[in-house]
Amino acid sequence: MAKIKASKGAPYARIIGVGGYRPIRVVPNEVILEHIDSSDEWIRSRSGISTRHWANDEETVAAMSVEASGKAIADAGITAEQIGAVIVSTVSHFKQTPAVATEIADKLGTGKAAAFDISAGCAGFGYGLTLAKGLIVEGSAEYVLVIGVERLSDLTDLEDRATAFLFGDGAGAVVVGPSQEPAIGPTVWGSEGDKSETIKQTVPWTDYRSGTVEKFPAITQEGQAVFRWAVFEMAKVAQQALDAAGVDPADLDVFIPHQANERIIDSMVKTLKLPESVTVARDVRTTGNTSAASIPLAMERLLATGEARSGDTALVIGFGAGLVYAATVVTLP
């Protein structure tokens, strides 16, 4: 019986580059208020959101991903040809097949990199990061491109008062490469499918195709149930990720939670008892909820503005439809 040769991967993996793309069009709350009975003050107090970006016809899921990825690759100091795998997390690419990752890999000039999509909603970036780490340590790729990208404006019901103001578009990308020391901690992840109805697509595509419903499918949610789950359960997951990485909250430099709602972010900071010295990402204020793209976009902005620095220790956590979640501690590139 033959023995399989052991893989020769890197001892560890780390994020070595980050990039982001926000669509040109900036949409203030006043535009949303043309469709729902509310106020700018109510939207800001409930979510913290004042503006969001919506994509135009040219700013497709693939196009935004290529822009963000090009920046991440340049930031990493490598070439596209060195990318061994492309992982794209999205729920708003409307072709069931082929995976948009294959188009992105080709447009970037990665050669014959492995390429695939994953659907894990707002936790998608964390899922992709975990897969990338495994590929590098296992030896299947030296560099992996992880992309979170959404055009949620295509799935927004502007007449739904609970969600019309929440969603935005954009793409965030990171390059993950080999490391000689731990720089991506253990991932605490999971799902609670018994709560899947709290965030969902209104109807299946087949209902729209058959004419059973006339309204294009959109994302809807039970706001209060989602808020309670995120505040109470995800704070526990975040603490578990800190414990798994052996990092005390007092030693943390940066907190980058999924940019769902500023009230959720504030509550998690309070529950985790993070010291004031910890920089907290609040990209949601001007970018809205971009689902899988929110963490890498927030990371890119913190580094670009100098609010976070290379080498900082950051806790990242994503959570959303499924309900699914993923949290880990990383060293920023």
Side-chain angles (χ1 to χ4, degrees):
M1 184 180 293
K3 291 185 177 180
I4 297 174
K5 186 178 179 180
S7 300
K8 292 184 179 180
Y12 305 104
R14 68 183 301 120
I15 300 173
I16 62 171
V18 60
Y21 180 82
R22 292 171 175 80
I24 297 169
R25 184 186 179 192
V26 177
V27 180
N29 288 338
E30 285 72 22
V31 172
I32 307 298
L33 295 173
E34 294 173 5
H35 305 275
I36 59 172
D37 180 16
S38 187
S39 69
D40 177 63
E41 190 279 331
W42 187 88
I43 293 174
R44 288 175 186 256
S45 65
R46 297 286 293 182
S47 67
I49 300 171
S50 59
T51 61
R52 74 284 292 147
H53 295 255
W54 283 355
N56 60 33
D57 291 343
E58 287 73 38
E59 292 168 319
T60 64
V61 166
M64 292 190 293
S65 296
V66 169
E67 289 293 326
S69 299
K71 295 176 184 177
I73 292 169
D75 189 46
I78 65 169
T79 64
E81 290 86 352
Q82 291 175 273
I83 299 292
V86 177
I87 302 171
V88 177
S89 178
T90 186
V91 299
S92 47
H93 174 57
F94 290 157
K95 287 185 179 179
Q96 194 70 38
T97 192
V100 72
T102 58
E103 179 183 350
I104 295 165
D106 177 64
K107 288 183 175 178
L108 288 171
T110 63
K112 296 183 179 180
F116 58 96
D117 298 349
I118 59 174
S119 177
C122 305
F125 176 74
Y127 275 52
L129 188 63
T130 302
L131 294 174
K133 173 185 173 183
L135 291 173
I136 290 165
V137 172
E138 188 273 337
S140 293
E142 184 176 12
Y143 298 102
V144 179
L145 180 64
V146 180
I147 304 166
V149 57
E150 301 292 2
R151 272 183 54 125
L152 293 181
S153 58
D154 292 332
L155 288 168
T156 298
D157 180 356
L158 290 176
E159 297 177 352
D160 181 356
R161 191 170 184 270
T163 61
F165 57 90
L166 287 176
F167 302 122
D169 303 337
V174 299
V175 174
V176 182
S179 176
Q180 293 303 308
E181 58 184 30
I184 300 175
T187 300
V188 178
W189 57 352
S191 65
E192 298 184 36
D194 60 315
K195 300 179 181 65
S196 62
E197 290 295 300
T198 56
I199 307 174
K200 64 180 182 179
Q201 183 172 305
T202 49
V203 295
W205 299 113
T206 48
D207 283 6
Y208 181 71
R209 181 186 64 183
S210 66
T212 304
V213 295
E214 295 182 358
K215 203 168 188 177
F216 194 75
I219 296 174
T220 188
Q221 67 177 30
E222 298 173 15
Q224 288 301 315
V226 173
F227 182 86
R228 289 193 298 270
W229 176 77
V231 168
F232 297 109
E233 298 303 320
M234 291 305 97
K236 297 175 186 177
V237 171
Q239 184 61 59
Q240 290 169 11
L242 287 171
D243 294 341
V247 175
D248 189 271
D251 297 324
L252 198 65
D253 299 307
V254 184
F255 180 41
I256 312 177
H258 165 49
Q259 302 295 290
N261 180 308
E262 193 165 33
R263 290 172 62 212
I264 292 175
I265 294 171
D266 288 340
S267 296
M268 291 183 72
V269 168
K270 183 177 179 180
T271 303
L272 289 168
K273 298 178 180 178
L274 297 183
E276 291 185 5
S277 59
V278 175
T279 297
V280 180
R282 299 184 185 279
D283 195 45
V284 66
R285 293 173 177 173
T286 56
T287 306
N289 180 343
T290 56
S291 188
S294 79
I295 291 175
L297 276 174
M299 182 184 295
E300 184 259 355
R301 173 163 282 174
L302 288 176
L303 289 166
T305 60
E307 295 174 81
R309 298 173 297 177
S310 175
D312 278 354
T313 300
L315 168 64
V316 299
I317 178 169
F319 44 86
L323 295 171
V324 295
Y325 55 88
T328 188
V329 176
V330 303
T331 300
L332 294 182

